[in-house]
Every structure is written in C-alpha cells, then in structure tokens.
Amino acid sequence: MIEDKNPQRTSLSQLGEFGLIEHLTKNFDVKNASTIKSIGDDAAVLDFKDKKVVVSTDLLIEGVHFDLAYMPLRHLGYKAVVVNVSDICAMNAKATQITVSVAVSNRFPLEALEELFDGITLASKFYNVDVIGGDTTSSQKGLIISITAIGEANEDEIVYRSGAKEGDLLVVSGDLGSAYMGLQVLEREKQVFQVNPNNQPDLDAYTYLIERQLRPEARHDIKDLFEKLELKPTSMIDISDGLSSEIIHICKQSKVGCNLYEEKIPVDPQFINVCEEFNIDSTTVAINGGEDYELLFTIAMEDFDKIKANPNFTVIGHIVQESEGTHLITRANTKIPLKARGWNALEE
C-alpha cells in the first residue's frame, strides 16, 4: 500500500469554533431515554426519574498521560471514553452520557481531530453512551482531552469504596500488569526508532500487552454478571493507578486492613514472558502497573460460592482489622507492608 506523502490538511481556523463542533459531532446520535436534549443548546437536559445519578471526570494531557509517537489518535479517543466509563462501572452503575472537551494547538489539522473523534464515536456506540456536549478551545501545550461521564443506578445497587468489612474476600476481574508492560514495549520501540527511523519493529510477540495499553476496555459487563450471580460487592474501585494504590484506597475509606497473596494475583502468560525479557519482577509490575481498568472489589465470605467457578474473577486476598495494616504475603510466606507505588500524575 502506497503511503500518501501529502495528506489533506484542513486548518481549524477555516471552520471556526461552532463549525468545528458541528463537524465533529454530526455522527453522534441519542440512544438513552434519559437524554432529553443533547448537543445544540446551552446545556444538556437529562431525566433519570427514580434513578440515582453518578458523575466522573478525567483529564488526559499530551506528554503526561499519552505519547502521540505511538498512540494513534483513534485509539486515544476510544481510550479517553474507556477511562471514564470505567469509573462509572466501579460504582456498579451504567454509563449513559458523556461530555467531551478538547484543547488543541495549531499543529493539529481538522483531519487529526476527525481521527480522535472517530475513536470517541466508536467507543460511545460500543458502550451505548450518548455524547451530549462539551467544549473546544486552543492550547499552547499540545492536546488536552477532558471527558465527563454520567451514569445511573438504583440506590440499592451503588457500591462505594467504603463498605469493606473484616473477613471479606478481596477479588479482582481479569488479569493485571499487561498494560504497563505494553507501555514498556512501546517506549523501547520509540527509542529504537529515534536512533534508526528505518527500523520496522516486530510487535507480534507483544500484541496482547500493546492492546491493553493502547485500547483497554472498561468492564461494563460486570454489573450484569453481578445481577445474574445475585451478588453485590461490599466495596469496589477500578484499577487505573495500580493494584496496590487501589487496595489502599479501599482500606483507608473502609477503615480496614488487608492481606494480598502474591501467588493469587492473575497475570497473562505473555506478560510473564515480557517481564523476563525486560528483567523486571512480574509481581512488582502486577501490583503497581496501573491502566488495566479491571475492577477490584470485596465480597462477604458467604458469597464465595457464587464466584468460585467464574473465570472472570480471582480471589487475591482478604480483609483484616485496620490495626493489622495492609500487607503482601509473598510466595515464601513473608509479610511485606503494601505501599502505594502506582501512578502519580503529580510526581516530579
């Protein structure tokens, strides 16, 4: 396939702010009955009747949260939606609407924003959320994306971080650490490319890890699974900043301690192979990596039978008294204090 060396490049100034908004939002349609008015007025209008509303907002900033050297704009748009939908899922709620705000520098033509919004559109359709508004402005520092997610749930369905009790089981969905190792692979290939731009990377051995980094998925399926299992967690959080950080969040909010068992942490075989290739300890990555967007939750001991044969879930520990603290129990049966070493956006 011959690469187009002179792709079309439409200046955003040709459209103006309102023309740009109309152009980028023309493919969004309304799917939820709670959306009375979406894009096109001073504010969106929503009607949740007897449902409770949950709201979450995230910022993604170029150079801090993503690198366009290896992050395709379409994937970035999709991921920007995912990270917000995941927060709604962590409340055991259903995401229904999002607002999308972007700030762009003049190095981005219209075609670049079309790519970004193609990803946002794809994600909004997959997660069945309505795009109901947002904002656009200029930036002197590259690309900034802010998405607010809105969701609904019955009051008795909502799960907070603060409900874990002594004796509860600590459970996680999916596997952990793969997104972080996908990032390491991409960073390595970027450095190789900078030295030799003619080098073509062979990434076949890393496809799962790279997909987990560039295009993760929110676990919107878990709420329905809980309903089928007649199970309600006592606490829950999504794993965006690393397992250790999220466990400590739950323990602090719930005023409890925890024992996490190293041998129980679920990881993918490709993840293990690449950790060995990079000479990185797999457990360190699995508990600190972040961006897996799996769900971490606690359940009462008597509910264990409901999940014990389910391939979506792994019991990785249990809740103890607050005075006992939070610990990792190693394979050698050594007890190590658990520290929050996950993602910190404000770290220098």
Side-chain angles (χ1 to χ4, degrees), residues 38-105:
S38 59
I39 298 167
D41 217 305
D42 288 299
V45 179
L46 310 177
D47 179 11
F48 287 91
K49 297 182 171 64
D50 297 327
K51 300 279 189 178
K52 299 300 178 184
V53 180
V54 294
V55 182
S56 181
T57 299
D58 268 303
L59 271 172
L60 295 178
I61 299 175
E62 184 178 358
V64 177
H65 301 99
F66 60 88
D67 187 336
L68 292 178
Y70 47 73
M71 169 65 85
L73 285 165
R74 183 179 280 108
H75 284 59
L76 177 61
Y78 192 97
K79 184 174 180 176
V81 176
V82 165
V83 301
N84 286 274
V85 169
S86 182
D87 283 331
I88 303 301
C89 295
M91 301 297 294
N92 202 34
K94 176 185 180 294
T96 48
Q97 289 90 8
I98 59 172
T99 65
V100 179
S101 297
V102 295
V104 291
S105 66

Side-chain angles (χ1 to χ4, degrees), residues 94-299:
K94 176 185 180 294
T96 48
Q97 289 90 8
I98 59 172
T99 65
V100 179
S101 297
V102 295
V104 291
S105 66
N106 58 11
R107 87 173 198 268
F108 291 91
L110 173 63
E111 288 73 22
L113 285 187
E114 286 177 334
E115 286 282 306
L116 179 72
F117 272 74
D118 281 348
I120 292 172
T121 303
L122 182 63
S124 68
K125 293 181 185 299
F126 182 77
Y127 290 104
N128 198 38
V129 296
D130 297 332
V131 182
I132 60 168
D135 193 16
T136 59
T137 190
S138 60
S139 165
Q140 295 182 334
K141 299 294 184 181
L143 178 60
I144 300 171
I145 307 168
S146 176
I147 291 184
T148 296
I150 301 164
E152 64 178 26
N154 294 322
E155 186 172 10
D156 60 355
E157 295 175 326
I158 297 175
V159 178
Y160 301 94
R161 299 178 182 182
S162 55
K165 300 288 190 295
E166 182 185 356
D168 284 357
L169 299 175
L170 188 68
V171 188
V172 70
S173 66
D175 62 84
L176 304 177
S178 293
Y180 179 85
M181 287 313 298
L183 178 62
Q184 302 315 299
V185 171
L186 291 167
E187 286 286 350
R188 181 184 67 182
E189 296 306 319
K190 175 187 174 182
Q191 293 174 12
V192 171
F193 177 80
Q194 288 173 338
V195 174
N196 181 12
N198 294 319
N199 182 72
Q200 293 297 315
D202 182 5
L203 300 176
D204 289 346
Y206 313 105
T207 51
Y208 177 69
L209 306 185
I210 291 172
E211 183 175 325
R212 290 281 279 180
Q213 170 57 220
L214 295 184
R215 188 177 160 172
E217 297 289 358
R219 295 307 303 261
H220 69 305
D221 58 317
I222 298 297
K223 184 178 188 298
D224 289 339
L225 194 50
F226 285 157
E227 291 177 4
K228 291 176 182 176
L229 295 173
E230 297 181 348
L231 172 69
K232 182 184 176 182
T234 53
S235 68
M236 187 155 60
I237 191 172
D238 78 324
I239 303 176
S240 56
D241 297 331
L243 178 64
S244 59
S245 296
E246 315 303 3
I247 288 175
I248 290 172
H249 280 314
I250 283 181
C251 289
K252 283 185 176 179
Q253 293 285 327
S254 299
K255 294 181 172 54
V256 294
C258 176
N259 287 332
L260 167 68
Y261 291 86
E262 180 183 18
E263 63 182 0
K264 300 295 184 181
I265 299 171
V267 293
D268 187 82
Q270 190 176 101
F271 166 80
I272 295 293
N273 293 336
V274 178
C275 283
E276 292 175 354
E277 179 185 337
F278 277 71
N279 195 28
I280 297 176
D281 179 69
S282 60
T283 299
T284 300
V285 175
I287 66 175
N288 297 313
E291 289 204 296
D292 291 305
Y293 298 104
E294 296 293 345
L295 295 178
L296 172 73
F297 57 96
T298 55
I299 62 171

Side-chain angles (χ1 to χ4, degrees), residues 306-326:
K306 297 178 181 179
I307 68 161
K308 66 179 181 181
N310 195 299
N312 289 284
F313 303 132
T314 305
V315 177
I316 59 173
H318 63 270
I319 300 300
V320 297
Q321 291 181 358
E322 184 177 20
S323 59
E324 293 187 40
T326 56

